[in-house]
Amino acid sequence: MSKKEMTPASRPSPPRDREPARAPSTLSLVGFLVFAVGYLVLYLGTKLADLGGSVTRFELLTARTLLPEQAAARWFGDSPLWTLSDRLPVLVVAAGIVGLAWLSGRLLLAALRVDPPVADEKADGSDSGEAFVLTRLEHFLFSTGVGLNTVSLYVLAVGLAGRLTGGMFFVPAVVIVALACWQAGRRRNRIGRTSLSPADDGITAEWLWLAAPFVAAILLGGVLPPVDFDVREYHLQAPKEFFQRGKIEFLRHNVYGNMPLGSEMFSLLAMVACGNWWLGALAGKTVIATFGPLTALALFAAGRRFASSGAGTVAAVLYLSIPWIAHVSTTGLIEGALGFYLFLSLYAVLLWRECILAAADTGRWWNQRDACLAVAGLCSGGAVSCKYPAMLFVVLPLMALICASSGKRCWRPVVIYSIALIAACGLWFAKNWVLTGNPVYPLLYEWLGGATRTADKNDRWGRAHLPHEFGPSALANSLSAVALKSSWLSPILLPLAVVGLAVRRYRRLAIALGGYFVFVIAAWWLFTHRIDRFWVPALPVVALLAGLGAVWSVSLVWRRIVLAYVVVGLAISFVYITSPEFGYSDYFVSLPTTRRDTDRVNPWYLTLNDHVPPGSTVLSVGDAQVFDIDPPVLYNTAFDDNLVAAIFADRTPEQMTAELRRRNVSHVFVNWSEIHRYRSPGNYGGIPDFITPEWFAGLVDDGLLERPWQHPLRPSQEIYPVRVAERPASDGALPIRPAGAGPLQMESSVVTQ
């Protein structure tokens, strides 16, 4: 047999539950159409909670369809320009990080004896006894997934050592590239073209071109500066502070910056590579955006292996068209990254189960099934490195699946998976253990404590981040959000996923996918604060289930129905994704313009950037999303010690002045709308009672602060210059409008953290 051919043992055996496709009856087709159209009507008639609950999806769709020039005005700016050249440095750095991760992952997979695609035969031509080999696409995906987390861990280690310099990254990068080239040359004569023979269901890979507009929108949006609260508070702010300090350390003022930040390490790496925190943040945010297309490729590969090429194709296209995926990918939120690691972990465990079914134990000390478990553990560790809930959403169910599939001899698989898991995320827990005394800081305060934590902070944290209502009404509201009311759902995903559960050809796979999604939703409802995007990482599972539904039948009638249904759904989703209401969509506006765009950034931040003297610091009161403030800024989140109290409480005016000068504070920015929000019933709290407009007026009367800068369109925010002898007092007027600033608008007082 030729080395380029697959041996019978290396070809994946079809699932035992696979049955021939059957032509659907007329009654079944009518039933699906009634269900699909009915869901679409309900979907379009639902009011969008993210837009205040006053606009339905249909109204937004109609407005954007009839008035496309409004969306185009956002895409190109007030003075239409096609500007993409300034994105090139950002894209090059982001591509370099992903490419380096891929090469690193290839080396790691080689160390685990997960070789590149090649027919696995002994020297004498006999069957090696292994179950299968990975396809080229699968090898690329697992290499990239494992490599991305490895690069992230390296940045963490270097940052903890206080060695965030260019040389600590460029030298290893050169070594990795050289090793990868040597490895590729060494295997050049052995690599064959490994492919699968998926079932023919009439849906070809050309359908993937339907996803091209969504990939473009995701990447164009990923390059843009951030607008989301969490992203500006810690997803990008924490790496910015680490970069400016030259090391990763405990952030006493930002509790969120001390949790696992595996995805955020790409921004820190890019900042060091660029020597600029702003461009580095955009490059890191772009890397986060690439997790969406990478997950779509994983869905395509998984569909081909476990079902059919058509199932994988439809799953990939549907996944990229989900507005939620575009939202988290373009805003810099990390749920898309967590979803990628979640799906790769599940993928690897399913491959491990396929090894068990397809081949007997070869007696080797290390074989394909062990390698699959190791890869699953590494990917699961990548998920945990992104966010603590991955322990619940990824590690717990996969560990249970491994134990159930192994039977009484589960100790070896569990040990392999656990060792890989710890290797991939343990440094994050060790870091918190050393810096705070609590490896899962700030969680489990009652048992483990933690630096700066108090009973009051822990109580407020629990009220904000744990569920409190468990009645039937609360459950019904949550399930309706998952199925229909969550703002950025797909109009076609759920109906096709429901059909996927009924497909007899892939019954066991469908049941496994459906069960996994049910588990994630149950865990989300029972143990989290039920923010919609917390279950978004499970959407790849639903997308693959919908892909199974799309290949319910191979009949021409069914394929035409699916194609029409998918095209309609994609058109609706694309209008939503690119609308100004969805997010920041200045796709072709120059980056310098977006940096000072007052539709994106608080104009008071621009005022501070223009007027704070070099070497001076800003004190932010009530506002923690300070990423866009260029000068050093003192701030704290609602769950940390209040800095205003630390500076002003129990001090005389002379002592206050001395403390302000010691901290080099030249301006105090006060966001009263945020203060009122935190103080509202049921909110986070954490703002001392003495912080009032009257108290600040007293500081002005005492000569500590000058009269505040104010603007009639921003009555809820003020800037107080700190009074110094050599600077004349201001008259309370805004000194200079920021260059290029548009009309000021009041910020919404409702911001989710």
Side-chain angles (χ1 to χ4, degrees), residues 9 15 33 86 167 189 195 255 306 422 464 475 498 604 622:
L33 289 174
D86 59 359
N189 296 328
S195 61
V255 62
F306 300 117
I422 294 171
L475 178 60
V498 171
W604 281 120

Side-chain angles (χ1 to χ4, degrees), residues 148-469:
L148 281 168
N149 188 55
T150 302
V151 170
S152 173
L153 287 175
Y154 179 77
V155 177
L156 172 63
V158 171
L160 290 173
R163 303 297 300 275
L164 291 174
T165 62
M168 291 299 295
F169 297 103
F170 290 118
V171 173
V174 172
V175 173
I176 289 172
V177 171
L179 287 175
C181 292
W182 171 79
Q183 181 196 53
R186 184 167 172 262
R187 299 180 181 274
R188 183 175 302 160
N189 296 328
R190 298 182 60 241
I191 295 179
R193 185 175 297 278
T194 303
S195 61
L196 302 178
S197 299
D200 181 12
D201 46 33
I203 298 177
T204 64
E206 281 71 19
W207 282 40
L208 288 174
W209 285 106
L210 294 173
F214 298 95
V215 174
I218 286 174
L219 293 180
L220 288 172
V223 177
L224 293 172
V227 295
D228 185 86
F229 187 102
D230 284 7
V231 176
R232 295 195 284 198
E233 184 191 42
Y234 71 97
H235 287 306
L236 290 180
Q237 176 61 22
K240 172 186 172 183
E241 293 183 41
F242 296 147
F243 170 72
Q244 292 175 331
R245 299 181 184 194
K247 61 181 178 179
I248 294 176
E249 59 185 8
F250 177 61
L251 300 182
R252 301 180 62 88
H253 55 280
N254 192 331
V255 62
Y256 298 100
N258 302 302
M259 296 189 289
L261 300 174
S263 298
E264 290 79 356
M265 292 298 97
F266 303 127
S267 296
L268 180 56
L269 171 57
M271 291 176 187
V272 176
C274 296
N276 181 292
W277 63 264
W278 174 259
L279 288 179
L282 300 187
K285 185 170 171 286
T286 305
V287 174
I288 297 300
T290 64
F291 279 95
L294 285 173
T295 307
L297 287 176
L299 285 165
F300 174 67
R304 293 182 68 225
R305 176 172 288 277
F306 300 117
S308 69
S309 178
T313 299
V314 174
V317 172
L318 287 182
Y319 180 77
L320 286 174
S321 71
I322 302 172
W324 260 124
I325 299 306
H327 176 70
V328 298
S329 299
T330 57
T331 56
L333 294 166
I334 63 167
E335 278 71 21
L338 177 53
F340 174 68
Y341 287 122
L342 178 151
F343 189 73
L344 278 191
S345 301
L346 176 61
Y347 195 164
V349 171
L350 292 177
L351 289 175
W352 167 74
R353 292 187 74 249
E354 191 172 89
C355 285
I356 295 177
L357 296 174
D361 192 345
T362 61
R364 299 177 180 176
W365 75 273
W366 185 264
N367 51 42
Q368 283 282 9
R369 66 184 69 179
D370 298 330
C372 287
L373 281 175
V375 171
L378 292 174
C379 292
S380 297
V384 176
S385 295
C386 290
K387 213 166 190 176
Y388 282 136
M391 290 294 295
L392 187 61
F393 294 161
V394 182
V395 176
L396 183 60
L398 292 187
M399 188 74 79
L401 179 58
I402 291 170
C403 291
S405 301
S406 302
K408 295 181 179 180
R409 301 180 61 184
C410 66
W411 68 268
R412 179 181 172 89
V414 168
V415 168
I416 293 174
Y417 176 81
S418 300
I419 291 176
L421 170 70
I422 294 171
C425 65
L427 186 58
W428 287 105
F429 296 92
K431 166 241 182 189
N432 274 346
W433 198 349
V434 172
L435 296 182
T436 73
N438 180 350
V440 292
Y441 184 93
L443 309 181
L444 302 182
Y445 166 80
E446 298 87 346
W447 294 277
L448 301 174
T452 76
R453 309 319 293 162
T454 65
D456 172 68
K457 293 176 186 175
N458 184 66
D459 180 65
R460 289 189 290 108
W461 177 276
R463 291 200 306 267
H465 296 88
L466 294 176
H468 300 287
E469 297 182 16

Side-chain angles (χ1 to χ4, degrees), residues 51-76:
L51 299 184
S54 59
V55 178
T56 66
R57 292 190 178 101
F58 180 75
E59 291 170 340
L60 176 58
L61 179 65
T62 302
R64 289 295 149 250
T65 303
L66 296 178
L67 300 172
E69 65 274 10
Q70 293 182 352
R74 292 300 313 176
W75 296 1
F76 298 98

